[in-house]
Amino acid sequence: MTSPSVTATKPQAAAPAAQTPLAALSRPGHDTGLLLLRLVLGLTMAGHGVQKLFGWFGGGGISGTGQFFTASGYPAGDAMAVLAGLTETLGGLGLAAGLLTPLAGAAVVGTLINAIAVHGTGSFFAPAGFEYELLLTAGAAALTLTGPGRYAADRFLPVLRTQRPAHGALALALGVVLAAVMLLVRN
C-alpha cells in the first residue's frame, strides 16, 4: 500500500526554449516583408528625389522644383529644391539598401511632413488628398522603428547590427524637429 502523500511522478518533458523577441522577429518571412517594403518605399522616394535634382521621370529639375518651393513660401527655392532632392534621393536609397536605416527613414519622414504641409490636409483621398504622402510617411516611420530586417547593409555596421528601438525613436524625433524647422522658415 502506498501512502497518499507519496505519488508517482513522471519526468517532465523539457519545455521548449523561449524565443527572445528579436529571434521571433527574424524569421525569413518577416525579413522578406521588410525588404519588400524598403525596396518599394525607398526606390519610390529616390525616384522623387531625382525628379527634383535632374528632371528625370518628368520632374521639374532644380529650376522647376525651385519655382514650386518659392511659390509654396519657402525662401531660396533652388536651394530648397536641392535639399529636398538630396534628402529624398539619399534617404530613399538608404532605405532601399537598408543602410543607416534610422537616419534614412527619418530623412524621408521629415521630407514627407513638409510635403503634407504644403499639399494641405483639406481632403484625404486623391486627387486633392494627402493619403499617398501619409502612407509613405507611415511606411518610413515603421521602418525607422522596426529596423531594416536581416537582408540589409546595416547588418555589417556594428552599431546598427541589431535594431535598438532608441535609435529609431531618436532618429524620428530628429526628423520631426528638422521638418518643423523647415516649416517655420516657410512664409
Coordinates of all heavy atoms in Angstrom, one line a residue, residues 6 16-17 22 30 38 40 42 47 52 61 63 69 72 74 76 82 85 92-93 101-103 107 118 122 142 161:
V6 N 2.6 10.1 -1.1 CA 3.7 9.8 -2.0 C 3.0 9.4 -3.3 O 2.2 8.4 -3.3 CB 4.5 8.6 -1.5 CG1 5.5 8.2 -2.5 CG2 5.1 8.9 -0.1
P16 N 10.1 23.8 -24.3 CA 10.8 24.4 -25.4 C 11.5 25.7 -24.9 O 10.9 26.5 -24.2 CB 9.8 24.7 -26.5 CG 8.5 24.5 -25.9 CD 8.6 23.8 -24.6
A17 N 12.6 26.0 -25.4 CA 13.3 27.2 -25.1 C 12.5 28.4 -25.6 O 12.1 28.4 -26.7 CB 14.7 27.2 -25.7
L22 N 13.6 39.4 -30.3 CA 14.3 39.6 -31.6 C 14.4 38.4 -32.4 O 14.3 38.4 -33.6 CB 15.7 40.2 -31.3 CG 15.8 41.6 -30.8 CD1 17.2 42.0 -30.6 CD2 15.2 42.5 -31.9
H30 N 9.4 37.6 -42.2 CA 9.4 38.9 -41.7 C 10.5 39.8 -42.4 O 10.3 40.9 -42.8 CB 9.7 38.9 -40.2 CG 9.8 40.2 -39.5 ND1 11.0 40.8 -39.3 CD2 8.9 41.0 -39.0 CE1 10.8 41.9 -38.7 NE2 9.6 42.1 -38.5
R38 N 11.1 48.1 -47.9 CA 12.2 49.0 -48.0 C 12.5 49.3 -49.5 O 12.7 50.5 -49.9 CB 13.5 48.4 -47.4 CG 13.6 48.5 -46.0 CD 15.0 48.1 -45.4 NE 15.9 47.7 -46.4 CZ 16.3 46.4 -46.6 NH1 15.8 45.5 -45.8 NH2 17.2 46.1 -47.5
V40 N 10.4 49.1 -52.2 CA 9.3 49.9 -52.9 C 9.3 51.3 -52.4 O 9.3 52.2 -53.2 CB 8.0 49.2 -52.7 CG1 6.8 50.1 -53.2 CG2 7.9 47.8 -53.4
G42 N 11.7 53.0 -50.6 CA 13.0 53.6 -50.8 C 13.2 54.0 -52.3 O 13.6 55.2 -52.6
G47 N 13.2 58.0 -56.6 CA 12.7 58.5 -57.9 C 12.2 59.9 -57.8 O 12.4 60.7 -58.7
K52 N 13.5 65.9 -58.8 CA 13.8 67.3 -58.3 C 15.2 67.7 -58.7 O 15.5 68.8 -59.1 CB 13.7 67.4 -56.8 CG 12.2 67.3 -56.3 CD 12.2 67.2 -54.8 CE 10.8 67.1 -54.3 NZ 10.0 66.0 -54.8
G61 N 13.3 69.2 -62.3 CA 14.7 69.6 -62.1 C 14.8 70.6 -61.0 O 13.8 71.0 -60.4
S63 N 15.5 73.9 -61.3 CA 14.8 75.1 -61.6 C 13.3 75.1 -61.4 O 12.7 75.9 -60.7 CB 15.2 75.5 -63.0 OG 14.5 76.7 -63.4
F69 N 8.9 75.6 -54.9 CA 9.2 75.8 -53.5 C 9.0 77.3 -53.2 O 8.5 77.7 -52.1 CB 10.7 75.4 -53.1 CG 10.7 74.0 -52.7 CD1 11.3 73.0 -53.5 CD2 10.2 73.6 -51.5 CE1 11.4 71.7 -53.1 CE2 10.3 72.2 -51.1 CZ 10.9 71.3 -51.9
S72 N 5.5 78.1 -52.9 CA 4.9 77.5 -51.7 C 5.4 78.2 -50.5 O 5.0 77.8 -49.4 CB 5.3 76.0 -51.6 OG 4.8 75.3 -52.7
Y74 N 8.6 78.9 -49.4 CA 10.0 78.6 -48.9 C 11.0 79.7 -49.4 O 10.9 80.0 -50.6 CB 10.4 77.2 -49.3 CG 9.7 76.1 -48.6 CD1 8.6 75.5 -49.2 CD2 10.2 75.7 -47.4 CE1 8.0 74.5 -48.5 CE2 9.5 74.6 -46.7 CZ 8.4 74.0 -47.3 OH 7.8 73.0 -46.7
A76 N 14.6 80.9 -50.9 CA 15.7 80.3 -51.7 C 15.2 79.0 -52.3 O 15.7 77.9 -52.0 CB 16.9 80.0 -50.8
V82 N 17.3 71.6 -54.1 CA 18.5 70.7 -53.9 C 18.4 69.9 -52.6 O 18.6 68.7 -52.5 CB 19.8 71.5 -54.0 CG1 21.0 70.7 -53.6 CG2 20.0 72.1 -55.4
G85 N 15.7 67.3 -52.9 CA 16.1 66.3 -53.8 C 17.1 65.4 -53.2 O 17.0 64.1 -53.4
G92 N 15.9 57.7 -49.7 CA 15.3 56.6 -50.4 C 16.3 55.5 -50.7 O 16.0 54.3 -50.4
L93 N 17.5 55.8 -51.2 CA 18.5 54.8 -51.5 C 18.9 54.1 -50.2 O 19.2 52.9 -50.2 CB 19.6 55.4 -52.2 CG 19.3 55.8 -53.7 CD1 20.5 56.5 -54.3 CD2 18.8 54.7 -54.5
T101 N 19.6 52.9 -41.7 CA 18.1 52.9 -41.8 C 17.4 53.9 -40.9 O 16.5 54.6 -41.3 CB 17.6 51.5 -41.5 OG1 18.2 50.6 -42.5 CG2 16.1 51.4 -41.7
P102 N 17.9 54.0 -39.6 CA 17.2 55.0 -38.8 C 17.3 56.4 -39.4 O 16.3 57.2 -39.4 CB 17.9 54.9 -37.4 CG 18.5 53.6 -37.4 CD 18.8 53.3 -38.8
L103 N 18.5 56.8 -39.8 CA 18.6 58.2 -40.4 C 17.9 58.3 -41.7 O 17.3 59.3 -42.0 CB 20.1 58.5 -40.5 CG 20.9 58.7 -39.2 CD1 22.3 58.9 -39.5 CD2 20.3 59.8 -38.4
A107 N 14.9 60.9 -42.5 CA 15.0 61.9 -43.6 C 13.8 61.9 -44.4 O 13.2 62.9 -44.8 CB 16.3 61.6 -44.4
V118 N 2.6 71.3 -47.3 CA 2.5 72.0 -48.5 C 1.2 71.6 -49.3 O 0.5 72.4 -49.8 CB 3.7 71.9 -49.4 CG1 3.5 72.5 -50.8 CG2 4.9 72.6 -48.7
G122 N -6.9 69.3 -46.7 CA -8.3 69.6 -46.9 C -9.1 68.4 -47.3 O -10.3 68.3 -47.0
A142 N 7.6 53.4 -39.8 CA 7.6 52.0 -39.4 C 9.0 51.3 -39.6 O 9.5 50.6 -38.7 CB 6.6 51.2 -40.1
R161 N 23.9 46.7 -36.2 CA 23.7 45.3 -36.4 C 22.4 44.7 -35.9 O 21.7 44.0 -36.5 CB 24.9 44.5 -35.9 CG 24.9 43.0 -36.4 CD 26.2 42.3 -36.1 NE 27.2 42.9 -37.0 CZ 28.5 43.1 -36.6 NH1 28.9 42.9 -35.4 NH2 29.3 43.6 -37.5

